[in-house]
Amino acid sequence: VTAPDCARVDDVLAESALGLLDGDERAEVLAHIATCPVCEQHLGALASAADALLVGGPEVEPPVGFEAAVIARLGEEPAREPSRPAAHRPRARVLLAAAAVLVVGLVVGLVAGSARWGGDRAEVATSLRTGDIVDDAGVTHGEVFAHPSDSWLLVLVGGEVAPGTYAVECAYGGSDHWYEAGTVEVDDDGEITVWATSVPVPLDDLTGVRLAGGSEALTATVTGG
Amino acid sequence: VAIASDEALVAGMAAGDTEAARDLIRRYQARVYGLAVAIVGDRQVAEDVAQEAFVRLWRHAGAFDPRRARVATWLLTITRNAAIDARRVRRDTPVDPEAFATIERATEPAPEALAVHASEVVRVRQALGELPTDQRRALVLAAFFGRTANEVAELEHIPLGTAKTRIRTGLRRARTALALDDAGADDGRGEP
């Protein structure tokens, strides 16, 4: 992926802010704003407007039984732990987007350069939290990236991982309580799978990421930041 | 009887209080489900998406920081993202004309059923109402129905470039109308 110029990115910034771009397009935008503070600021401004608008969106009463169905699903969730105060780190969404860029730019570099898991991370090592994804035998299958103040989490898993759907789960503050952040599909094409999501909490004290649901247990201990 | 704040309910959810969850669901289910229906079209899929949004909020409630975002914005952003993800696998979802008409009408304040966040809802709808009709339609299709610029162009029978301009300009103007602009936010890319 090459960083496109400002005009090209400006063409899709509004759609990016509205959550309408697919993963590749979004990565392209983020790769550009990593080096362009003007576009970065513009994206942050549009994204805050797009999110604020949602409060005035359509209202439709759900079917009878909706509330009970949700409550039943909550009952299937793991037992709760005492709540943990989040780190006090007020900041604009534009900073979150900028932080995500570091991650995306890194991944772009890793993939484009055909590097596996050992790419030179010196330039971002001071701001990222990272961890190797390993199996029970200690073999590395991928890597996790998160920025300390970023809501973006990015996971790479390698071609040797058994194909299937994996739940990506996060643990904070060294806790062994896991929050599901989403699911990643690993194809059987042997390619590196790149998966990113926006986690609605700070990742300052993200300490672990695991991929659950496949035939093997894959876990990353996240450090740094 | 005092009404618990959204933040208090989320704090309750973080402690595993399903009654707090029940209150929050009642408070937001119409907006969460309404947004999901608008984006995915299919009501069964929308119900799954709406349930999933509340489950995700429950999972992350313990890490929610009210200084970073409002509960309503957080929940609805989760909903929008989940709905857009669900819609990617079923691209042919039509825009529900009834829902669209509702939004078009909703630029007028609707005082009933808005007890908790009336002022925010009215503010957003007024901001939309101040937009030129073509920009409002494009922005509503993109923001509330998850339509890309390509899809807006097809639905409105306009060139892609025009659709992009309407969405972008509408969003920028809505930001100004919502008074979200702050120092340095204007990038000088204003359009006529």
Side-chain angles (χ1 to χ4, degrees), chain B:
Chain B
V1 179
I3 299 176
S5 69
D6 291 350
E7 291 73 21
L9 294 179
V10 170
M13 292 168 74
D17 180 356
T18 52
E19 285 309 307
R22 201 181 294 277
D23 285 350
L24 197 85
I25 293 165
R26 287 176 183 161
R27 190 171 291 179
Y28 284 109
Q29 61 181 4
R31 260 179 270 173
V32 167
Y33 179 68
L35 184 61
V37 167
I39 293 174
V40 303
D42 182 286
R43 293 192 170 223
Q44 185 65 52
V45 176
E47 187 175 354
D48 289 344
V49 165
Q51 288 183 12
E52 178 63 21
F54 282 110
V55 171
R56 287 187 193 177
L57 186 142
W58 169 268
R59 284 179 192 147
H60 291 280
F64 176 66
D65 183 350
R67 292 163 294 206
R68 292 170 60 94
R70 293 183 178 188
V71 172
T73 304
W74 181 42
L75 174 60
L76 291 168
T77 304
I78 293 171
T79 306
R80 179 194 67 194
N81 295 343
I84 288 175
D85 285 347
R87 184 169 180 268
R88 285 209 172 95
V89 296
R90 29 181 303 124
R91 270 292 178 193
D92 56 343
T93 50
V95 172
D96 179 351
E98 187 184 338
F100 190 78
T102 302
I103 288 297
E104 280 287 276
R105 286 196 303 271
T107 50
E108 302 163 12
E112 72 283 2
L114 299 175
V116 178
H117 290 290
S119 62
E120 282 179 58
V121 175
V122 169
R123 204 163 67 92
V124 167
R125 292 184 178 173
Q126 283 176 339
L128 288 171
E130 289 171 12
L131 297 177
T133 303
D134 56 356
Q135 290 175 18
R136 182 172 67 246
R137 288 180 61 88
L139 183 56
V140 163
L141 285 168
F144 298 150
F145 291 81
R147 266 45 181 185
T148 63
N150 261 317
E151 292 168 320
V152 170
E154 283 180 26
L155 288 164
E156 298 288 86
H157 308 292
I158 53 178
L160 175 59
T162 305
K164 284 178 178 287
T165 300
R166 288 181 185 177
I167 293 169
R168 185 169 58 234
T169 309
L171 186 55
R172 193 174 292 140
R173 286 184 172 168
R175 176 180 169 79
T176 302
L178 289 169
L180 294 170
D181 286 325
D182 47 29
D186 183 358
D187 63 356
R189 296 183 196 184
E191 293 176 23

Side-chain angles (χ1 to χ4, degrees), chain A:
Chain A
V1 179
T2 345
D5 59 18
C6 292
R8 184 171 164 194
V9 162
D10 190 54
D11 193 51
V12 294
L13 271 191
E15 286 178 275
S16 182
L18 290 158
L20 298 171
L21 298 186
D22 66 26
D24 290 343
E25 294 170 315
R26 187 166 54 202
E28 205 170 15
V29 169
L30 295 175
H32 172 72
I33 68 171
T35 58
C36 180
V38 174
C39 288
E40 171 196 326
Q41 187 179 50
H42 191 42
L43 176 62
L46 291 176
S48 63
D51 292 352
L53 282 178
L54 293 174
V55 174
E59 295 177 49
V60 180
E61 286 299 329
V64 174
F66 177 84
E67 175 190 316
V70 176
I71 296 294
R73 284 187 61 177
L74 301 187
E76 297 165 3
E77 292 289 303
R80 314 218 53 106
E81 293 193 343
S83 64
R84 173 184 59 75
H88 183 197
R89 199 179 287 263
R91 58 187 69 220
R93 177 166 176 158
V94 62
L95 291 179
L96 303 184
V101 161
L102 291 173
V103 176
V104 172
L106 173 63
V107 169
V108 167
L110 279 174
V111 174
S114 299
R116 294 289 295 188
W117 318 117
D120 179 8
R121 304 200 297 271
E123 66 190 86
V124 289
T126 55
S127 54
L128 283 176
R129 295 177 65 77
T130 65
D132 289 338
I133 298 173
V134 298
D135 62 19
D136 287 342
V139 177
T140 299
H141 289 284
E143 199 158 3
V144 171
F145 304 92
H147 191 272
S149 58
D150 184 15
S151 64
W152 280 86
L153 173 71
L154 198 143
V155 173
L156 280 80
V157 286
E160 295 84 12
V161 171
T165 302
Y166 293 80
V168 180
E169 300 175 330
C170 299
Y172 303 95
S175 161
D176 59 0
H177 181 77
W178 296 88
Y179 297 90
E180 185 176 326
T183 56
V184 57
E185 296 283 344
V186 177
D187 295 331
D188 57 1
D189 56 9
E191 299 291 319
I192 296 171
T193 300
V194 181
W195 179 87
T197 192
S198 175
V199 179
V201 295
L203 294 176
D204 306 65
D205 60 350
L206 177 75
T207 49
V209 172
R210 72 179 182 190
L211 274 59
S215 53
E216 33 193 338
L218 299 170
T219 308
T221 300
V222 180
T223 58

